[in-house]
Amino acid sequence: SLQAGLAVLLKAERLFHSSYHSQAVHIRPICRVSVIRTASLPLVQDASCLAVSWELRQTLTVVFDTFSSSQGKKDWSLFKMFSRTLTDACPLASQSKVYVDISPKNKEKELLEVTPPPASVYEAIVQGDKRTYAVYDLLSPSLFNTSRSLNVQLKWKRPQDSSELPTPILHAQRYVSGYGLQTGEISTLIYNTHPYRAFPVILLETVPWYLRLYVHTLTIITKGKENKPS
């Protein structure tokens, strides 16, 4: 249902007018009951699955260019992005949380102000950097006590230089060149701006309908040398 929980934010005209959106469905078998038979060698084991369940996972990824739409301002809110706020959690959900990245660039000058104040924060290491996330648990009874809706807002305490945009560690560009099945090409450039660290990259390509891909022509070049993917 799109009437409760995080699904109320899935407003078609907002999602399809974003800079990027991607929907995915993942289905995989999960072994619930298994028996393990041990061979004569103690380190050799054979696991047989007796009962299998199927896991269905649906994901939606959306990228909003709020910096351009807000005329150079970095402030944003759920209402500005989705034209809606959160009023309750899905009654069938066992977990429903909103994470907001509040990691400051300089710990001595914390300019971020997130409202309402989060009940808890979560820290994690992402691409070698320590990140801090404000956590809003929609299943917490106290979340909607003070207000009937949750409109998470992120503001900067003082104006920032509109030209000062952080350079992402990993970013990509893609373009289509040539024409037809003979000379048509898709080129994807992936940049790593980290001073010394390498990262594994999973590339998901959305192929235009008018192009037919020949997988055997795939070439990957890193620093002028061919790099075979795993």
Side-chain angles (χ1 to χ4, degrees):
S1 172
L2 299 182
Q3 305 300 320
L6 296 174
V8 300
L9 301 178
L10 305 184
K11 195 175 181 180
E13 56 266 32
R14 283 291 186 175
L15 300 181
F16 297 148
H17 283 81
S18 60
S19 297
Y20 172 85
H21 72 275
S22 173
Q23 303 177 52
V25 177
H26 304 269
I27 302 177
R28 66 170 182 167
I30 302 294
C31 183
R32 290 189 291 112
V33 181
S34 62
V35 58
I36 298 178
R37 296 187 298 270
T38 304
S40 56
L41 296 177
L43 298 180
V44 178
Q45 294 182 337
D46 177 26
S48 299
C49 190
L50 300 180
V52 176
S53 295
W54 290 92
E55 178 189 79
L56 169 63
R57 182 183 181 190
Q58 296 174 287
T59 62
L60 173 64
T61 303
V62 185
V63 177
F64 290 95
D65 190 359
T66 58
F67 186 81
S68 298
S69 60
S70 301
Q71 299 177 342
K73 297 180 180 179
K74 299 181 182 180
D75 300 346
W76 62 263
S77 68
L78 289 182
F79 185 79
K80 286 183 179 180
M81 289 190 295
F82 300 100
S83 295
R84 297 181 180 181
T85 58
L86 296 173
T87 56
D88 54 9
C90 174
L92 300 179
S94 59
Q95 179 175 314
S96 183
K97 296 181 179 180
V98 176
Y99 292 85
V100 180
D101 191 345
I102 57 173
S103 307
K105 291 182 61 177
N106 189 339
K107 293 184 178 180
E108 297 178 355
K109 301 178 181 179
E110 294 189 6
L111 305 174
L112 296 177
E113 181 181 8
V114 59
T115 57
S120 61
V121 295
Y122 172 73
E123 293 185 346
I125 303 297
V126 179
Q127 296 181 351
D129 294 332
K130 186 177 180 180
R131 312 297 297 183
T132 303
Y133 299 90
V135 182
Y136 297 90
D137 187 356
L138 271 63
L139 296 181
S140 175
S142 61
L143 184 62
F144 297 104
N145 283 351
T146 56
S147 175
R148 291 186 176 182
S149 65
L150 175 63
N151 181 30
V152 180
Q153 303 180 61
L154 197 65
K155 297 182 179 180
W156 264 253
K157 295 180 181 179
R158 66 172 181 261
Q160 291 293 289
D161 184 4
S162 60
S163 63
E164 183 186 352
L165 283 176
T167 302
I169 295 179
L170 294 175
H171 65 277
Q173 298 176 352
R174 190 185 76 159
Y175 58 86
V176 179
S177 61
Y179 58 90
L181 297 180
Q182 275 192 320
T183 62
E185 292 182 353
I186 294 180
S187 299
T188 301
L189 307 179
I190 302 177
Y191 299 91
N192 176 15
T193 62
H194 199 280
Y196 58 86
R197 184 173 177 182
F199 298 97
V201 174
I202 299 178
L203 179 63
L204 173 64
E205 285 279 10
T206 303
V207 183
W209 62 269
Y210 52 84
L211 287 180
R212 178 180 298 175
L213 294 189
Y214 298 97
V215 181
H216 72 280
T217 65
L218 172 67
T219 57
I220 300 178
I221 306 298
T222 302
K223 295 183 178 180
K225 298 181 179 180
E226 185 175 1
N227 184 5
K228 294 183 178 181
S230 57

